Amino acid sequence: MKTLRQILFFMVMAAIVFSASPAFASSLESDVLYYVNIERAAAGVQPLSYNTDLAAGAAVRAQESSVYFAHQRPDGREVKSVLNGASYSWFGENLAVSSVQNAQKIVRAWMGSPTHRANLLNRHFTQMGLHCVVGADGHYYWAQLLASD
C-alpha cells in the first residue's frame, strides 16, 4: 500500500511538472515556478502554485530592491507590509541580482544558497509570486514571495 501511494505521489508530481513545463510556459514567472517545483519534487515536497497577489507584492519588492537591496523596505517597514494587510500563516522572501534574465539560472543560484534553498524547499509554503525588473545599473533584480494560507 505504501509503495502504491509513493507511485501515485510521483505520478501526480510528474503531471504537475509536465503541465508547468517550459513548453507550456508563457512567461518568466511560470518558468521559475516550473524549476522551483522540480526542486521541490526532487526533495519530496508538494509543488507551489502561483499567486497573483504575491506577484503584485513581488513587483513592488523587485523595484525596491533595485534601489535598496535588503530584506527590509526602503522606508524601514518590514517586507510583509508589501501585502497591504493580507494575512498568511507562513511568509518568506528570496531576492537576487543577476546579469541575465534566466529562470533556470536564478533557481540554481537560490538552490546554492542555504537560506534561499530553505525557503524554496520549505514544506509550509504553498504559493509563490515572482517579479524581475531591470535596474538603472542594467542588472536584473528578482523578488520571490512565498506564503501559505
Side-chain angles (χ1 to χ4, degrees), residues 1 19 21-22 32-33 41 50 77-78 94 97 105 112 115 123 129 133 146:
M1 189 64 160
S19 68
S21 72
V32 169
L33 181 64
Y50 201 77
R77 289 182 293 163
E78 67 178 36
N94 283 341
V97 181
K105 285 184 179 181
T115 55
R123 66 180 177 80
V133 299
L146 303 145

Side-chain angles (χ1 to χ4, degrees), residues 42-141:
V45 182
Q46 296 295 318
L48 298 174
S49 60
Y50 201 77
N51 179 308
T52 56
D53 292 332
L54 290 174
V60 172
R61 289 297 297 137
Q63 188 60 49
E64 289 177 348
S65 71
S66 74
V67 177
Y68 180 69
F69 193 80
H71 292 291
Q72 180 180 12
R73 300 194 62 196
D75 62 7
R77 289 182 293 163
E78 67 178 36
V79 173
K80 200 171 185 178
S81 69
V82 78
L83 301 175
N84 299 320
S87 179
Y88 294 96
S89 58
W90 285 83
F91 177 80
E93 175 185 63
N94 283 341
L95 298 177
V97 181
S98 68
S99 59
V100 296
Q101 189 181 51
N102 182 296
Q104 189 173 20
K105 285 184 179 181
I106 206 64
V107 172
R108 196 175 312 138
W110 279 329
M111 289 300 290
S113 161
T115 55
H116 294 100
R117 178 186 180 90
N119 271 347
L120 289 181
L121 300 181
N122 185 322
R123 66 180 177 80
H124 297 290
F125 292 137
T126 59
Q127 304 164 46
M128 177 193 101
L130 176 95
H131 198 79
C132 180
V133 299
V134 179
D137 61 0
H139 286 96
Y140 294 94
Y141 289 83

